[in-house]
């Protein structure tokens, strides 16, 4: 593998690359720690490596990590949204959110998205390509490097940015293993969440990996008719199949399922929708995360009033459902997935109709 992609490798994989050069295996552990604990990606700066090895590595090319093209910081809640440029010029986003329990990074898994959800900015313009594990790990590396100046580090990961992570499952799993490794960022698997719009076979595949990560399912509607209208994926794997896969995931991993539910005024936020939703999720070890819709200029929807949001949550609680209302972070910086990327493309005259 090219040294340009080494940020996506585990220490033992780096060791195999280096052993082919006649180097001892522990060099892989050293280089991994430089990348993911210290944020150093210039081989010439890795001072505990022999000079000749540093020179040879530098000749092969330093790892390509995303470049920060724009950073927006919400002045009220501290949310930081990064517009990142990849080596081929493609743009992605990653968002850092501050919570009581720590710093959570929302990572993108694709350039664009093919899922076609009606309410989402990420899918405008469709899917360009999958990200590599190195490009996903690069998002964490770049943000941790930025945070290091303030003595902080990312403690939680959500693969919930641009793209459908389970459509890029191999790279997503490789990234999570890199982020978990104790020589690097050392993020607990229990502090990781992977989101999906409902790719049933991939949910089952993820369950078989045996990693204790949280599965977050973007549900957004309590019946097939409405969900198929909002989310085309439902036409392939309707709600009954999705719920069966979620039940299996919970049984296999022992983890509670999170159901994400974006509330859109007069679309999916009525009391009858709450009752239908409760019937769906009550049999599962599950949690519902209500998300007031974050306005996207290209979409014709409205966010419900706080009163309607609370009424929906109260109806779910009356039905015995564990529910929270997500804090509306980053509202002043267009923190909905895909908005900043879309605006940058429009400014460059590159946005597709």
């Amino acid at each position: 593998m090219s040294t340009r992609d080494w940020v996506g490798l585990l220490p033992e994989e780096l060791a195999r690359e280096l052993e082919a050069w006649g180097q001892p295996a522990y060099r892989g552990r050293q280089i991994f720690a430089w990348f993911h604990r210290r944020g150093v990606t210039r081989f010439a700066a890795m001072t505990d490596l022999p000079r000749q090895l540093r020179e040879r590595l530098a000749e092969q090319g330093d790892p390509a990590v995303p470049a920060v093209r724009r950073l927006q910081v919400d002045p009220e809640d501290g949310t930081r949204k990064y517009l990142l440029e990849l080596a081929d010029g493609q743009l992605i986003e990653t968002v850092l959110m501050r919570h009581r329990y720590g710093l959570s990074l929302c990572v993108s898994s694709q350039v664009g998205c093919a899922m076609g959800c009606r309410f989402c900015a990420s899918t405008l313009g469709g899917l360009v390509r999958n990200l590599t594990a190195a490009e996903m790990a690069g998002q964490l590396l770049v943000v941790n490097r930025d945070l290091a100046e303030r003595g902080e580090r990312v403690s939680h990961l959500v693969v919930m940015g641009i793209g459908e992570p389970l459509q890029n499952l191999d790279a997503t799993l490789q990234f999570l293993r890199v982020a978990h490794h104790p020589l690097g960022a050392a993020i607990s698997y229990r502090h990781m969440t992977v989101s999906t719009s409902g790719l049933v076979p991939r949910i089952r595949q993820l369950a078989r990996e045996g990693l204790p990560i949280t599965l977050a399912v973007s549900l957004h509607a309590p019946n097939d008719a409405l969900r198929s209208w909002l989310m085309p994926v439902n036409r392939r794997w309707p709600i009954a199949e999705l719920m069966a896969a979620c039940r299996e995931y919970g049984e296999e991993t022992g983890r509670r399922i999170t159901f994400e539910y974006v509330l859109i005024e007069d679309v999916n936020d009525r009391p009858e929708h709450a009752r239908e939703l409760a019937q769906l999720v009550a049999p599962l070890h599950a949690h519902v995360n209500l998300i007031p819709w974050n306005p996207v200029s290209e979409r014709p929807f409205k966010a419900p009033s706080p009163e309607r949001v609370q009424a929906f949550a109260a109806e779910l609680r009356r039905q015995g459902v564990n529910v929270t209302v997500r804090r509306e972070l980053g509202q002043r910086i267009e923190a909905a997935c895909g908005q900043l990327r879309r605006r940058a493309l429009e400014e460059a005259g590159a946005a597709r109709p």
Side-chain angles (χ1 to χ4, degrees):
M1 179 181 288
S2 167
T3 54
R4 301 279 287 169
D5 298 315
W6 275 17
V7 163
L9 296 182
L10 291 162
E12 56 269 27
E13 294 167 333
L14 288 168
R16 286 195 291 271
E17 296 284 332
L18 289 159
E19 283 174 339
W21 295 11
Q23 294 292 323
Y26 68 84
R27 297 291 183 210
R29 296 191 294 274
Q30 289 177 299
I31 292 174
F32 185 90
W34 277 107
F35 291 160
H36 300 291
R37 182 173 292 173
R38 303 182 187 181
V40 173
T41 54
R42 288 182 59 251
F43 290 122
M46 298 180 182
T47 51
D48 58 356
L49 301 182
R51 180 179 57 80
Q52 287 185 331
L53 176 58
R54 278 181 278 157
E55 291 174 352
R56 184 176 177 185
L57 287 168
E59 288 173 2
Q60 297 294 314
D62 291 328
V65 295
V68 179
R69 289 292 170 248
R70 191 174 301 176
L71 171 61
Q72 295 182 336
V73 182
D74 191 303
E76 294 191 20
D77 60 42
T79 299
R80 299 171 72 83
K81 186 163 191 175
Y82 299 79
L83 179 69
L84 302 177
E85 183 176 340
L86 305 175
D88 64 354
Q90 295 292 342
L91 299 175
I92 57 170
E93 300 172 10
T94 190
V95 181
L96 181 76
M97 296 161 287
R98 293 183 177 275
H99 299 282
R100 293 188 306 276
Y101 53 76
L103 294 174
S104 179
L105 187 67
C106 184
V107 174
S108 292
S109 58
Q110 296 177 313
V111 180
C113 182
M115 304 316 294
C117 301
R118 286 182 180 266
F119 50 84
C120 184
S122 294
T123 196
L124 293 167
L127 175 67
V128 178
R129 65 172 177 85
N130 285 333
L131 296 186
T132 66
E135 288 168 333
M136 296 180 73
Q139 296 171 62
L140 175 60
L141 189 157
V142 166
V143 172
N144 266 336
R145 191 156 59 189
D146 183 34
L147 290 172
E149 298 176 5
R150 294 181 293 282
E152 298 178 307
R153 288 184 71 81
V154 172
S155 60
H156 292 67
L157 285 176
V158 289
V159 189
M160 201 180 290
I162 295 172
E164 164 56 66
L166 297 194
Q167 206 172 45
N168 189 19
L169 182 55
D170 288 346
T172 296
L173 287 170
Q174 177 73 5
F175 159 59
L176 296 180
R177 291 186 172 104
V178 167
H180 172 73
H181 200 282
L183 288 177
I187 298 175
S188 168
Y189 284 129
R190 294 184 179 274
H191 292 172
M192 297 180 183
T193 298
V194 173
S195 175
T196 181
S197 60
L199 278 61
V200 165
R202 296 295 178 88
I203 291 173
R204 294 190 167 110
Q205 184 180 345
L206 180 62
R208 291 193 296 270
E209 292 292 329
L211 303 179
I213 61 178
T214 298
L215 178 68
V217 176
S218 297
L219 191 59
H220 309 318
N223 59 66
D224 281 325
L226 181 54
R227 192 167 191 266
S228 292
W229 181 75
L230 282 173
M231 304 178 68
V233 68
N234 197 72
R235 300 167 198 163
R236 176 64 182 86
W237 294 291
I239 287 176
E241 292 185 40
L242 176 59
M243 290 296 138
C246 289
R247 186 178 300 108
E248 291 171 26
Y249 187 90
E251 292 170 353
E252 187 77 24
T253 64
R255 301 291 286 167
R256 184 176 69 173
I257 306 292
T258 295
F259 289 101
E260 306 283 343
Y261 195 98
V262 169
L263 285 165
I264 305 170
E265 184 176 287
D266 291 326
V267 174
N268 64 354
D269 68 336
R270 300 189 183 101
E272 58 266 31
H273 293 137
R275 289 189 286 271
E276 279 187 280
L277 178 58
Q279 290 177 349
L280 276 180
V281 304
L284 302 176
H285 181 42
H287 174 86
V288 173
N289 189 19
L290 298 178
I291 309 165
W293 188 64
N294 202 336
V296 176
S297 60
E298 295 91 345
R299 301 301 193 186
F301 300 123
K302 291 177 61 179
S305 67
E307 292 75 20
R308 287 185 74 151
V309 173
Q310 292 304 321
F312 195 96
E315 183 60 36
L316 287 175
R317 293 188 183 105
R318 275 193 293 272
Q319 302 292 327
V321 175
N322 190 321
V323 59
T324 55
V325 177
R326 180 183 291 180
R327 291 167 58 212
E328 297 184 60
L329 298 175
Q331 287 237 313
R332 288 151 292 275
I333 56 170
E334 295 184 304
C337 290
Q339 285 181 290
L340 184 55
R341 172 179 177 266
R342 181 72 177 173
R343 184 152 59 85
L345 290 174
E346 288 173 346
E347 290 171 358
R352 287 182 275 178

